Amino acid sequence: MSLSMGACPHAWRHHLQHRGRMWATSPVFRRQLFLLRSLAPTCAHGGRASSSSLQVHAMSAASAAAGPVYEADAEAVVRRITPPLDRARHKGQAGKIAVIGGCREYTGAPYFAAISALKVGADLSHVFCTKDAATVIKSYSPELIVHPILEESYSVKDDERESVSSSILAEISKWMERFDCIVVGPGLGRDSFLMDCVSNIMRHARQANIPTVVDGDGLFLITNNIGLVEDNSLAILTPNVYEYKRLVQKVLNCEVNEENASEQLAALCQKIGGVTIMRKGKADLISDGKKVTQVSTFGSPRRCGGQGDILSGSVAVFSSWARHFLLSNEQTTEKSVNPMVLGCIAGSLLLRRAASLAFEKNKRSTVTTDIIEFLGQSLEDISPAGR
């Protein structure tokens, strides 16, 4: 049966009512209604919450086939894991972060990640990059500690590769155990020799139990060598839509399934072995294979490049804070909580808040540096320094 918009109102109304009855009795509708009621918070008087408070839960139900996607109480997470500013603290106690990335073609990404870590509240931020990138990155800010020790294939003779690679690893090893978290990938490029060197660095970080956030070209590296993060509970992957697609194809040998997004994300984490994955999107989905959490706070419609670099630097700081918080509070009831998941939740919210403020001020002209400038205010709004 088909009706044009010109049909009589009575016939059109009858048609819509008929379609509505068909939809209401369909298995899909009944299943979604069941999930919606199951997820809906109960009011104090025993009734259901208002429809406006169910928007997040409705979205969660629609995106999960095997189980619910829980909307994170992201503000509470940020307040819980952000350390107080204490006069007794000394330099380095609020976090020491290192970014492994930066080559002659890409100097902005490692800068964005490293400076974001400082803006969030880390005390020290290092960048390990190639010699060609070092001077440029240093010129962006005197706040960063830049190490020009990485090499690309064009600058290394074939018979020197092994010795140069060993030298690079030895130099980074001197610093590694000082770091609370490293970020691998921003501006790394895809040079084969450089990729091999970074693979060795990742293995060393794992042996030293250093949390590792993998983004950008680092995701290209691990997609082709899953063993670098396999069974590493201190690894965080932050893929965008294209990077996630390649991961799913490589690890699960299938295509991305939007209808079973949460189930597939959990399966991907489990298959790799305990890593935490934040699937970036309209809502950021976060899982360590045990449950799936989301942060859906609206950020900005402006999709300028570099926001993923802000996120990776922010997640590195928050993950290190969360890990320190849980290790320092042995009596806490939150022992089963994964600090890497908490770091992802906090980093996701902070970026979205900062992007929103930057867009409010700059509209279409918003760029990554504008967003970085609002990281501090966004964190202060959630967790005041004087609390």
Side-chain angles (χ1 to χ4, degrees), residues 73-140:
D73 188 350
E75 284 195 12
V77 170
V78 172
R79 284 191 289 267
R80 186 73 166 161
I81 67 176
T82 300
L85 291 177
D86 189 338
R87 292 183 182 182
R89 286 176 172 264
H90 57 75
K91 181 176 67 178
Q93 284 189 302
K96 302 178 290 294
I97 307 301
V99 176
I100 314 298
C103 61
R104 58 178 176 173
E105 287 91 357
Y106 306 114
T107 57
Y111 164 75
F112 291 147
I115 200 68
S116 295
L118 287 178
K119 291 288 187 177
V120 170
D123 286 339
L124 296 168
S125 191
H126 297 246
V127 177
F128 291 85
C129 60
T130 66
K131 294 179 176 65
D132 288 338
T135 302
V136 180
I137 296 172
K138 286 181 179 182
S139 73
Y140 293 152

Side-chain angles (χ1 to χ4, degrees), residues 305-318:
Q307 293 185 63
D309 304 310
I310 298 176
L311 182 64
S312 63
S314 302
V315 166
V317 177
F318 280 121

